[in-house]
Structure formats: C-alpha cells, structure tokens
Amino acid sequence: LTPLRPGPLSCPRRMARPSTSRSARAGSSKTSAPRSNVHTWLFFWSVALMTFSIIQLRYPPAGGAVGGGGGAGSGGVVPFRQVSSAESMFNPEETVGHGDYSERLSKLSFEIFSAPKPFVGEDKDNNERAIKSWLRLHPKPKVTLLGWETGFDEVSKEFGINIEKRVDKNFLGVPLFNSMLMRANSSKELITIIINGDILLFDDFIQTMRKVVSNFRDFLVVGARYDIDKLPTDLSDDDPHYTKKIREHVLNTGTLHTYGGMDVWAWNTDGPRLFDPIMPHFIFGRGKYDNWLIHET
C-alpha cells in the first residue's frame, strides 16, 4: 500500500467549493430568520404544554375521580396520585366489576386446554400425572389437548379427553400461543384454562376460582408453579391421602417460581373475549408471551 498524495486528490475538493458554497450560504442567509422563529415558537408551546400537564397532575380538579360528581357517567379523569396509590388499586371494593355474582356458582364448569410434550419417556409420566390431577377436581373439568403429538390418541382414549388438532405451529412443530388462545376462547364452559402439560392442580385451585367467580364479573387469573426435583416414589395415585401428601412434599421441598414465568391462565367466557385483537405469533413455551398477554389484557 502506498500513501495518498495530497496534491491531485485534494485539488478537486478545493475546486468544487467556490460556486456551491456561495449559493448555499446565500440561501441560508435568506431563510435563517423564519426558521429560527418557527423553532422558537415550537419550543415555547412545548414548554407551555409540559408546564400545564405538570400542574394538572400535581393539583387535580375536585371531583375528577371516576364515579365522583353527579349522575352516572359523570366521572372525569382519575388523578395520577389516586391511580398510583396501593390502597385504591388493590382495594376490591373499589374495583370495576366487583360485586356479588354468587349465582354463577350453580353453573360452574371448567375446560382445561393444554399442549403437552409428546408422551414419551419421562414426559409421558409427567403429562399423565398432571392429567390425572386435573380429572380429580370437582366439578370435573373437560380436558382438551391442543395439537397432535405422539401418544395423544392413546391418552385421549384412556382418559376420555378431547383433541383439538387445528392449532398453528412453527416450522419445528411447536404450537403458536395465539392459535392456542383462539381455540380456548371458543370454549362453552364458564371458566377456560390454559395450562402447561406437566402442572398438577389440586382442590385449592377450585376454591380460588369459586371465590373469584362469585366476586368478580370478568377476570383473568394467573399462577406460577412450584418447582420440585422429584415426587415421592413410595406414593401411589390410589392413596386416599395422595393430594395431602403431595401438597406437604411440595411446600417442604419445592421453590416458588419467579413472577417472570406463568404456567396457568384462567378466565370467564360469559363476558368479553380475553384478547380479541391480532396477537403476535408467540411460540408456546418460548419468550415472554405470558407477560405480554397479561400486560395487554
């Protein structure tokens, strides 16, 4: 490589400056004043709007909270301080849709949707153990497997559960969460549940759902799992104290999963659909589709 020679390469740049630079300077001198005036006005109005917004947040008008003032629908904007206070956010008496809906308990019904891994090896044992725990619940839920994997047909015949094959997948054969949600939203049961295929449910889940159904018109319930290394090997499914012993084992040896991961979603079907707009094609079990859904809901 040889160094650049300054003479021949720099001359054209010097030769190109005279006419163009003069015309540019001449044009800029003619338009600089109007542009500066526009910038000044934009800056002035931006500052004025920001100041006005800060004053509104710090000194909200009286009667601005939802439900305040005169008749129905006369509420205004909820003050920022009221929205951010824990007392108003988590007080169920002030929650929209809270009330006495205990009459719905007479028609309480569930449908569980799940897209478990293929029923092979250890996954087969985990999946079947979870399905058995779902079918022990009272009232007994309807169970639907989403997709089509190895062992689905045999398990469907053995446990008397349904299979919904119309689920979109990616090129690796993993179900798309938006397609699963669309199928779950079409359930005719009062409560729809999406759950991971290896999660055990016990009667405390039903007790929680009964309390939610009787107190809230529309809702979305989410839950995290307890992680355990293994279950007791000397415990049979036929043991009358099976649920009690499993619960004690989990509470003594398990670890509650972080809030970043959720394994069960439950919502009512006698109100607005859980999520009707177009949903990104999240891959089930990958990424942050669970956090995204809760945020959007």
Side-chain angles (χ1 to χ4, degrees), residues 91-111:
N91 184 359
E93 299 298 335
E94 299 180 8
T95 305
V96 176
H98 179 272
D100 183 9
Y101 301 100
S102 55
E103 73 278 357
R104 291 196 294 178
L105 294 177
S106 60
K107 55 180 181 180
L108 188 63
S109 60
F110 301 87
E111 183 167 7

Side-chain angles (χ1 to χ4, degrees), residues 119-183:
F119 286 75
V120 178
E122 185 178 359
D123 290 332
K124 180 178 185 295
D125 297 335
N126 294 335
N127 294 343
E128 290 184 352
R129 187 184 298 114
I131 291 175
K132 291 178 181 178
S133 74
W134 304 342
L135 296 177
R136 288 194 195 100
L137 299 176
H138 300 284
K140 185 177 180 179
K142 179 181 178 182
V143 177
T144 301
L145 301 182
L146 297 172
W148 183 258
E149 300 291 348
T150 302
F152 274 29
D153 191 29
E154 293 79 3
V155 170
S156 173
K157 295 176 181 178
E158 180 180 355
F159 295 104
I161 58 181
N162 305 311
I163 301 176
E164 173 55 79
K165 300 180 181 180
R166 298 174 299 167
V167 177
D168 297 332
K169 299 182 179 182
N170 69 348
F171 65 96
L172 294 176
V174 183
L176 300 182
F177 188 69
N178 61 298
S179 182
M180 295 173 56
L181 185 63
M182 182 178 66
R183 296 304 174 195

Side-chain angles (χ1 to χ4, degrees), residues 7-240:
L9 292 178
S10 58
C11 285
R13 287 184 296 193
R14 293 195 184 108
M15 293 171 62
R17 285 179 183 173
S19 61
T20 57
S21 60
R22 286 196 193 105
S23 62
R25 290 195 188 100
S28 63
S29 63
K30 294 179 182 179
T31 59
S32 59
R35 286 183 180 177
S36 61
N37 289 338
V38 172
H39 293 165
T40 302
W41 279 106
L42 288 176
F43 176 77
F44 170 77
W45 284 112
S46 299
V47 173
L49 289 174
M50 184 179 298
T51 304
F52 181 72
S53 300
I54 293 175
I55 293 175
Q56 276 198 325
L57 290 176
R58 292 183 61 87
Y59 307 101
V66 172
S74 61
V77 178
V78 180
F80 178 75
R81 287 185 177 180
Q82 179 179 340
V83 173
S84 61
S85 64
E87 292 80 4
S88 61
M89 285 187 67
F90 299 105
N91 184 359
E93 299 298 335
E94 299 180 8
T95 305
V96 176
H98 179 272
D100 183 9
Y101 301 100
S102 55
E103 73 278 357
R104 291 196 294 178
L105 294 177
S106 60
K107 55 180 181 180
L108 188 63
S109 60
F110 301 87
E111 183 167 7
I112 296 178
F113 292 86
S114 184
K117 297 178 181 179
F119 286 75
V120 178
E122 185 178 359
D123 290 332
K124 180 178 185 295
D125 297 335
N126 294 335
N127 294 343
E128 290 184 352
R129 187 184 298 114
I131 291 175
K132 291 178 181 178
S133 74
W134 304 342
L135 296 177
R136 288 194 195 100
L137 299 176
H138 300 284
K140 185 177 180 179
K142 179 181 178 182
V143 177
T144 301
L145 301 182
L146 297 172
W148 183 258
E149 300 291 348
T150 302
F152 274 29
D153 191 29
E154 293 79 3
V155 170
S156 173
K157 295 176 181 178
E158 180 180 355
F159 295 104
I161 58 181
N162 305 311
I163 301 176
E164 173 55 79
K165 300 180 181 180
R166 298 174 299 167
V167 177
D168 297 332
K169 299 182 179 182
N170 69 348
F171 65 96
L172 294 176
V174 183
L176 300 182
F177 188 69
N178 61 298
S179 182
M180 295 173 56
L181 185 63
M182 182 178 66
R183 296 304 174 195
N185 262 332
S186 62
S187 174
K188 303 301 182 183
E189 309 302 325
L190 179 62
I191 306 299
T192 299
I193 302 165
I194 292 182
I195 190 171
N196 284 354
D198 57 350
I199 302 298
L200 307 180
L201 292 179
F202 301 116
D203 290 336
D204 57 344
F205 176 77
I206 298 298
Q207 295 170 8
T208 301
M209 295 310 305
R210 289 178 63 90
K211 184 178 294 184
V212 172
V213 167
S214 60
N215 284 278
F216 295 94
R217 178 66 185 87
D218 301 304
F219 55 84
L220 168 65
V221 176
V222 297
R225 69 179 183 268
Y226 274 91
D227 295 322
I228 56 175
D229 295 330
K230 59 182 179 179
L231 292 172
T233 57
D234 57 345
L235 186 60
S236 172
D237 294 345
D238 300 330
D239 190 322

